[in-house]
Amino acid sequence: DAKTTQPPSMDCAEGRAANLPCNHSTISGNEYVYWYRQIHSQGPQYIIHGLKNNETNEMASLIITEDRKSSTLILPHATLRDTAVYYCIVRVVPGSGNTGKLIFGQGTTLQVKP
Amino acid sequence: SQTIHQWPATLVQPVGSPLSLECTVEGTSNPNLYWYRQAAGRGLQLLFYSVGIGQISSEVPQNLSASRPQDRQFILSSKKLLLSDSGFYLCAWSRPEYTSINTEAFFGQGTRLTVV
């Protein structure tokens, strides 16, 4: 079962920042937070991941609360091509005696509007 | 660079017919391999994963089976398809856990299976 909670849908105006929240109140110390997105009829695409520090890459920023019970994915300037389902996943660190497999929840459908 | 190939892209099969979906990965060794299914309007469900040749773990009881005859080949099969097997099937790979501690998963483009 997925161990994260996300709103089912969100809207964002084109050019504005999209802030996608995720609750993972039962996260363990050896679990990372991963974000993927799935554009319609395609395979999921990795976005970003983090443990406890905030992370930024060319696609997005990830803000993790100090208690690690929630996080926010930020797309700084959303475009129409960012319309997709965004999945927040907690994943056990590989090497802990498991495969680090990804368990997906229902995700958040982000609709970027012109 | 690493690539993942999954075929066919679409498939229409009658109830009771067999199924074989193939996935291959290039440019890496000893990958972890995964099969996911996405029913219409639903999230991604992990079906099988494999950490090596001949090693298959099943996540949910179902009408499907998986095999890994070669290091970079992962096959999803069924002897007799059911209507409920319809869905979008995705293969994915990640680097073996002993090589990296934060390894993302890379997904194929998927196979849309319709059982009629």
Side-chain angles (χ1 to χ4, degrees), chain A:
Chain A
D1 292 335
K3 299 195 293 184
T4 63
T5 304
Q6 298 177 255
S9 63
M10 292 182 63
D11 290 342
C12 178
E14 186 178 20
R16 304 297 293 270
N19 297 292
L20 294 98
C22 180
N23 287 325
H24 29 80
S25 58
T26 60
I27 193 169
S28 301
N30 66 343
E31 289 180 320
Y32 284 70
V33 180
Y34 278 72
W35 283 83
Y36 281 74
R37 73 179 181 184
Q38 186 179 22
I39 297 171
H40 183 62
S41 296
Q42 297 183 22
Q45 176 190 23
Y46 166 82
I47 301 173
I48 199 168
H49 72 272
L51 180 62
K52 55 183 178 180
N53 297 323
N54 297 338
E55 302 288 344
T56 296
N57 63 19
E58 65 278 5
M59 290 182 67
S61 295
L62 175 60
I63 308 299
I64 302 174
T65 59
E66 191 171 345
D67 62 8
R68 302 186 68 233
K69 293 185 177 182
S70 65
S71 61
T72 301
L73 179 74
I74 301 173
L75 307 178
H77 305 287
T79 70
L80 298 178
R81 289 176 294 179
D82 292 322
T83 293
V85 179
Y86 287 77
Y87 295 98
C88 170
I89 303 163
V90 294
R91 185 186 187 205
V92 180
V93 174
S96 306
N98 58 79
T99 67
K101 57 194 176 187
L102 293 168
I103 305 298
F104 287 81
Q106 294 301 308
T108 295
T109 299
L110 175 68
Q111 181 71 49
V112 181
K113 298 185 175 182

Side-chain angles (χ1 to χ4, degrees), chain A residues 102 104, chain B residues 35-39 42-48 59-62 90:
Chain A
L102 293 168
F104 287 81
Chain B
W35 277 112
Y36 286 85
R37 176 173 60 198
Q38 189 171 33
R42 305 288 295 276
L44 286 143
Q45 181 184 40
L46 179 62
L47 302 177
F48 300 97
E59 285 292 294
V60 294
Q62 60 201 297
L90 287 153

